[in-house]
Amino acid sequence: RLARAARAAKIAPRPLKTLKPIVHCPTQKYSAKTRLGRGFTLQEIKAAGMTPKYARTVGISVDHRRTNRSAESLNANVERLKAYQAKLVVFPRKRLSAPKNGDASAEECKAATQLSGTVLPLSKPAKEIEMADVTDEMKSFKAFTTMRVARKETKVDGDRIAAVNAKKKD
């Protein structure tokens, strides 16, 4: 605990953790879920208008081995990087010199505070329950019978096609 507090004081006002990308979990079972990954791809960082070397200096994780498999996840992570850049306060290298292009002003530097938790955490949308009135049509619908008939139809379908083909040959 004391070591973490000492590290936080040493790197202040920089955040304790780096920005991580949103990735989909592996395997078919969990692929619908998203989590925070190891680092952004080189393509995502380039699309956000940064270099990997600069990204590492401003607290962004970079994973040169990861690749983008879909445009949706690429765009989502580029938007994440841009949102981080908008909130980012870059201190001038020399405190007394005039701020260069991209550096924060003196007022912004004084107002900067250290973030202790996860940088831009995942926000899961709240699941809303849709309430509906039960109608007579819903009550009369027999789900099991419908499924049983559909199952039987697909089973018999092959026999029917074979019979039609046999009639065509004769």
Side-chain angles (χ1 to χ4, degrees):
R1 194 166 57 92
L2 295 172
R4 279 196 297 271
R7 180 177 178 267
K10 181 181 167 188
I11 67 166
R14 284 182 276 169
L16 294 170
K17 297 178 181 177
T18 55
L19 180 70
K20 306 282 187 180
I22 297 173
V23 295
H24 286 270
C25 298
T27 72
Q28 199 170 14
K29 183 178 180 181
Y30 299 107
S31 62
K33 291 184 179 261
T34 55
R35 63 175 173 85
L36 294 179
R38 180 187 173 91
F40 290 91
T41 62
L42 301 176
Q43 191 179 5
E44 290 166 349
I45 288 170
K46 190 174 183 183
M50 288 187 269
T51 62
K53 189 176 180 181
Y54 173 75
R56 285 186 180 102
T57 64
V58 292
I60 298 171
S61 296
V62 179
D63 187 4
H64 63 90
R65 294 164 296 194
R66 205 178 124 237
T67 54
N68 289 106
R69 292 189 179 91
S70 70
E72 289 85 7
S73 66
L74 172 85
N75 293 336
N77 282 325
V78 168
E79 289 303 314
R80 191 169 165 81
L81 283 167
K82 287 182 179 174
Y84 179 75
Q85 268 185 310
K87 294 179 180 179
L88 189 66
V89 177
V90 180
F91 280 51
R93 284 180 182 246
K94 296 177 183 173
R95 290 185 179 214
L96 300 173
S97 66
K100 292 182 180 177
N101 188 22
D103 289 349
S105 65
E107 296 85 35
E108 288 176 322
C109 291
K110 284 180 184 176
T113 57
Q114 187 176 32
L115 181 71
S116 58
T118 306
V119 182
L120 291 178
L122 274 176
S123 58
K124 293 180 182 174
K127 295 177 183 175
E128 292 184 24
I129 299 170
E130 186 179 322
M131 301 300 272
D133 294 329
V134 179
T135 61
D136 292 332
E137 185 183 328
M138 288 179 186
K139 288 179 184 176
S140 64
F141 181 73
K142 304 285 185 231
F144 181 79
T145 308
T146 308
M147 293 299 291
R148 182 180 57 79
V149 169
R151 203 167 29 249
K152 200 68 175 169
E153 288 292 322
T154 55
K155 205 170 192 181
V156 177
D157 209 26
D159 295 336
R160 287 184 182 148
I161 292 170
V164 169
N165 288 340
K167 281 187 180 178
K168 283 185 181 176
K169 284 186 178 180
D170 291 341

